[in-house]
Amino acid sequence: MKILAPLNSPEETEMLLANGAEELYCGLVPEEWVARYSGAIWLNRRSPAGGNLRTFSDLARVVQQAHGRSVPVFVTLNAQTYTASQLPLVLDLARRYVEEASVDGLIVSDPALILELAKQDLPCALHLSSIAASLNVAAVRFFQSLGVRRVILPRSLTLAEIGRIACEIGSQIELEVFILNDGCIFEEGFCLTTHHRSVGAFCVGLARMDSQSFKLSGAPWASGEEEEINTLLQDFHRRIDALTNYACSARPQTALPLAPCGLCAIPAFHRMGISAVKIVGREASSLRKLASLRLVRAVVEKTRNGALEEAVQGYAQTLRESVAPCVPGEMCYYNAGATTNRSHLRESAGRWR
Amino acid sequence: MEWAIHVADGSSLAHCDDFLSCQPRRSELPLSDLQVAAADVVQRVAGPVRPQRAYLGNEFCQYLIPARESFSKVCRELWERGLAITFLTPPVTDAGLDKLRPLFAWLASQSNGTEVVFNDWGTLQVLHEEFDVLQPVRGRLLNKTMRDPRVTPLYNAPDAPEGIRASMQPGELEMPSLQRLLRHYGVETVELDILLQDSTSDLRRLPFQVAFYFPYGFVTTGRQCMTGALHLEESERFRPMQRCQRECRLYLTEHRFVGTTLPTDGTVFYQRGNTFFYCPNTEVLERFLLGAEARGVGRVIYQPDLPM
């Protein structure tokens, strides 16, 4: 099980390699894309300005350094969809990523792009982005038949659901899972909104909308019913805040991520034969990337060293407790450590609300 | 052009008989105005239409997949009314596929060619491998054209850059490779939403029948359902596996995008269960229906209610 870390600058490569990154991923949005589509239409799932490299020479530098340590580099081309008019440029970029920069894999989502890339027969792997929302074994098999080598499973899947996929098809295809930073209240692959700064993420913006609930029957509210619905809406907003990393904040002293994670599930993923655990946040500061990587690496190493599952989970929760509320349902992707007694942590979670 | 009616379950069979007169039923709701307006547009443009087909089920939540008994009962009633059936399926986990397989098996045993809408590539794979007598229809959730009413009318404005405007159109179906893939899996019909960015693309060029939902379009959906968490403790809320009591059948939340200087300020979203929807205004709906035949729209799926 490899640790996959994000970057958005060649200057971060050495730092990440030296601190245990075993695979790297990044995006590159060149000037020709920006000239045609500005910042409104994203080539991949991050804005051109924030989460991406800007030149092929930068990408080549990243790959060269990574390959010097036998670490592969994967590049994102994972927009929800590309139109027929965008595709020639996207295919040209894919070819240049591979031929000019020697990247090892492309992270893709759109079936039409996958089919076109398969025809190009580029010497690189195709990894299926979580944006493709492969939620079941048959979906994994479908994309495998299109030539995908690895499937990144959406973080909306439970541990048991991932376990079933791993059990039934994990021996035939690489599986990757999310492990740290940023969640999504919606299924990314079915969220057809923009995160562009002019309006912000739709989910985060809900808290600023004028909202009113109704009973579909048209009947009047029962006593306390409307208040209950309004409280539910507030809880929903708070959950979105937590998942989206409190609008991408971090504690300034340490830069450790105040964000959801799946650290407690690492022993289970190890046992399932998961190929890679992914740290989210190409756009994050270098310091936050480093802190995230160290956090994941500490738990992965404990697992690799044969520590018991409960001990690893306790260790992970202790690491998290110092920086963020480690509470089931609050900051968890997978709720793997839910059986551990963490009631004392719920109290501390209140500090963050 | 074929007309279809959405039937969520047995409780909404009355829609089939005279689907334009079944509203308004809830005059207090903001939706009732939309429902009246949508019905009015249909009456005005298309005249008295009767559905030839029923879209049965839901596209958004695997907890709403019906039990086999109730499913077969509703199917029989629809067939007795002379309606063809298109069975709607949502994105599913393996547990969801486990629930769908018996329904597929029953449908396959009843007749050849019953349509099944897939909104999950795994569902298509299962239909192809195990139930090839059923006819797969690509669902609208798998058309990933941006549907964010906060920005899409702006991105499609005449003064927007050409590249951005072109990106607002549902263009992926024009790609021969995707066409070949879908045809390989036996797909003959694909679904789209009526876009606020006013798509006018010529659908007759496509090797598929294209069906549109009318009037509601979907914006986003997911497994963490707000309404389904109503009866749960705070610590249990908004999980993929939360035990819901189908509260989506009881409540609706309207969200109004406000506080900006954008021309789209005031846009309204409708949240039902785990899904958010938009509703184009009557002008857009009317323009769509007036141009539908000429564009090559093969089918309109009328939704009397938000489809949950």
Side-chain angles (χ1 to χ4, degrees):
Chain A
M1 186 172 68
K2 300 284 181 62
I3 301 171
L4 173 63
L7 61 77
N8 65 346
S9 161
E11 279 68 43
E12 294 173 334
T13 315
E14 191 53 44
M15 170 192 80
L16 295 170
L17 294 172
N19 283 277
E22 295 160 323
E23 296 177 339
L24 295 172
Y25 74 100
C26 57
L28 162 60
V29 181
E31 203 46 51
E32 52 256 58
W33 179 273
V34 179
R36 203 177 294 184
Y37 302 108
S38 75
I41 307 298
W42 290 1
L43 174 64
N44 53 49
R45 292 289 290 174
R46 290 293 184 272
S47 104
N52 283 284
L53 304 171
R54 296 301 289 267
T55 67
F56 282 89
S57 61
D58 279 352
L59 179 61
R61 272 176 65 200
V62 170
V63 174
Q64 193 177 22
Q65 288 179 77
H67 284 182
R69 296 202 191 205
S70 303
V71 167
V73 178
F74 312 125
V75 177
T76 53
L77 279 174
N78 60 343
Q80 295 271 17
T81 186
Y82 297 103
T83 62
S85 62
Q86 292 170 345
L87 203 65
L89 175 55
V90 175
L91 288 171
D92 185 54
L93 293 176
R95 183 188 55 73
R96 294 179 66 193
Y97 295 159
V98 177
E99 292 179 356
E100 289 182 29
S102 302
V103 304
D104 302 277
L106 300 171
I107 301 171
V108 293
S109 165
D110 182 356
L113 175 63
I114 294 171
L115 292 165
E116 293 296 330
L117 285 170
K119 280 199 298 194
Q120 305 273 314
D121 202 22
L122 296 171
C124 74
L126 295 180
H127 291 190
L128 187 73
S129 167
S130 59
I131 301 298
S134 287
L135 298 168
N136 54 65
V137 173
V140 173
R141 221 171 44 244
F142 172 84
F143 282 106
Q144 185 184 29
S145 75
L146 303 188
V148 162
R149 183 186 297 175
R150 176 185 291 189
V151 171
I152 306 167
L153 297 174
R155 73 204 112 169
S156 67
L157 289 171
T158 66
L159 203 52
E161 289 162 349
I162 292 171
R164 181 166 170 185
I165 293 171
C167 178
E168 293 191 28
I169 200 166
S171 61
Q172 299 158 47
I173 193 165
E174 294 179 15
L175 298 174
E176 178 183 311
V177 295
F178 286 72
I179 211 64
L180 182 63
N181 294 339
D182 302 358
C184 186
I185 197 81
F186 303 117
E187 184 64 62
E188 281 181 291
F190 299 117
C191 185
L192 304 177
T193 65
T194 180
H195 284 199
H196 189 264
R197 67 186 187 298
S198 62
V199 288
F202 178 77
C203 54
V204 175
L206 279 173
R208 293 190 295 277
M209 293 193 194
D210 278 350
S211 301
Q212 190 178 3
S213 295
F214 301 86
K215 287 178 81 166
L216 283 164
S217 66
W221 294 108
S223 172
E225 192 180 14
E226 190 173 14
E227 291 71 25
E228 215 178 330
I229 288 279
N230 289 336
T231 303
L232 179 72
L233 188 59
Q234 296 309 312
D235 281 354
F236 191 60
H237 293 156
R238 194 162 58 235
R239 174 67 172 155
I240 291 169
D241 266 353
L243 285 172
T244 54
N245 198 18
Y246 293 91
C248 301
S249 64
R251 296 193 77 181
Q253 303 93 320
T254 62
L256 276 167
L258 179 59
C261 81
L263 292 177
C264 287
I266 283 176
F269 290 144
H270 186 63
R271 200 172 52 244
M272 290 174 197
I274 295 296
S275 296
V277 291
K278 169 184 174 171
I279 299 168
V280 184
R282 285 190 271 141
E283 73 292 350
S285 70
S286 301
L287 195 55
R288 185 180 162 202
K289 288 185 181 115
L290 178 62
S292 300
L293 177 57
R294 285 179 171 164
L295 194 58
V296 173
R297 184 187 174 192
V299 182
V300 167
E301 285 196 342
K302 199 134 187 105
T303 302
R304 286 173 180 164
N305 291 335
L308 292 174
E309 187 155 343
E310 276 204 0
V312 175
Q313 289 176 351
Y315 177 64
Q317 289 162 22
T318 307
L319 291 175
R320 292 291 284 160
E321 187 181 5
S322 62
V323 292
C326 185
V327 177
E330 185 85 15
M331 280 293 185
C332 285
Y333 294 152
Y334 308 114
N335 220 22
T339 52
T340 313
N341 180 9
R342 290 183 283 171
S343 56
H344 67 290
L345 293 171
R346 188 170 302 286
E347 202 175 308
S348 67
R351 293 199 307 268
W352 300 97
R353 292 178 180 164
Chain B
M1 188 170 73
E2 184 184 36
W3 281 85
I5 177 81
H6 176 236
V7 176
D9 56 26
S11 69
S12 46
L13 279 173
H15 291 341
C16 304
D17 297 328
D18 187 359
F19 72 86
L20 297 181
S21 68
C22 61
Q23 66 289 102
R25 291 174 295 140
R26 311 163 186 135
S27 55
E28 304 82 0
L29 293 177
L31 278 183
S32 61
D33 289 344
L34 302 179
Q35 291 166 341
V36 171
D40 185 52
V41 168
V42 176
Q43 291 277 22
R44 213 168 48 241
V45 178
V49 289
R50 292 195 67 81
Q52 296 100 50
R53 174 176 293 279
Y55 267 57
L56 174 61
N58 93 92
E59 316 145 75
F60 302 104
C61 178
Q62 71 180 45
Y63 290 110
L64 297 178
I65 294 171
R68 228 254 313 140
E69 285 308 309
S70 59
F71 177 70
S72 55
K73 186 166 177 285
V74 179
C75 285
R76 286 197 179 99
E77 290 189 38
L78 290 168
W79 280 323
E80 279 168 16
R81 287 168 195 252
L83 294 166
I85 289 177
T86 300
F87 176 37
L88 288 164
T89 67
V92 281
T93 62
D94 283 296
L97 275 175
D98 290 343
K99 287 164 78 176
L100 286 175
R101 278 191 173 91
L103 305 183
F104 291 161
W106 183 81
L107 272 182
S109 73
Q110 298 302 304
S111 66
N112 274 346
T114 300
E115 290 186 349
V116 176
V117 173
F118 64 93
N119 283 294
D120 180 291
W121 294 107
T123 303
L124 176 63
Q125 188 73 16
V126 166
L127 288 169
H128 183 69
E129 290 176 351
E130 302 172 35
F131 305 100
D132 64 355
V133 299
L134 299 175
Q135 180 65 49
V137 173
R138 196 196 74 163
R140 60 172 155 174
L141 274 69
L142 294 177
N143 170 254
K144 306 296 182 82
T145 308
M146 190 186 287
R147 310 234 235 316
D148 190 334
R150 299 174 304 163
V151 297
T152 46
L154 313 178
Y155 289 178
N156 199 53
D159 58 349
E162 171 54 31
I164 297 177
R165 273 194 293 136
S167 303
M168 292 298 99
Q169 301 302 317
E172 96 281 16
L173 286 169
E174 291 168 11
M175 292 185 208
S177 52
L178 186 64
Q179 292 176 356
R180 276 195 298 275
L181 177 77
L182 291 173
R183 296 309 295 256
H184 168 74
Y185 277 89
V187 175
E188 293 176 0
T189 303
V190 296
E191 297 179 345
L192 297 175
D193 274 322
I194 299 171
L195 299 172
L196 290 179
Q197 52 264 43
D198 194 19
S199 172
T200 54
S201 53
D202 183 0
L203 306 169
R204 290 169 302 188
R205 289 180 304 180
L206 301 176
F208 306 106
Q209 172 178 248
V210 183
F212 280 82
Y213 286 89
F214 186 101
Y216 305 108
F218 101 98
V219 175
T220 183
T221 187
R223 298 186 71 199
Q224 303 187 50
C225 178
M226 183 184 91
T227 328
L230 180 63
H231 68 286
L232 298 173
E233 290 295 315
E234 189 187 332
S235 61
E236 299 294 318
R237 286 178 166 172
F238 317 130
R239 309 257 188 90
M241 293 293 284
Q242 69 186 15
R243 306 169 313 281
C244 82
Q245 296 178 357
R246 301 196 171 190
E247 291 89 345
C248 56
R249 299 285 164 93
L250 304 176
Y251 302 101
L252 160 80
T253 303
E254 181 190 274
H255 304 271
R256 193 174 292 271
F257 176 59
V258 291
T260 74
T261 55
L262 296 171
T264 52
D265 199 72
T267 299
V268 179
F269 298 90
Y270 305 94
Q271 179 184 13
R272 190 166 176 196
N274 64 347
T275 305
F276 286 71
F277 301 90
Y278 65 89
C279 185
N281 62 33
T282 50
E283 199 181 314
V284 172
L285 294 176
E286 188 162 336
R287 199 161 49 235
F288 166 79
L289 278 188
L290 283 169
E293 296 272 11
R295 280 182 68 200
V297 173
R299 179 185 294 170
V300 177
I301 308 142
Y302 189 81
Q303 304 162 323
D305 289 318
L306 280 172
M308 187 60 69

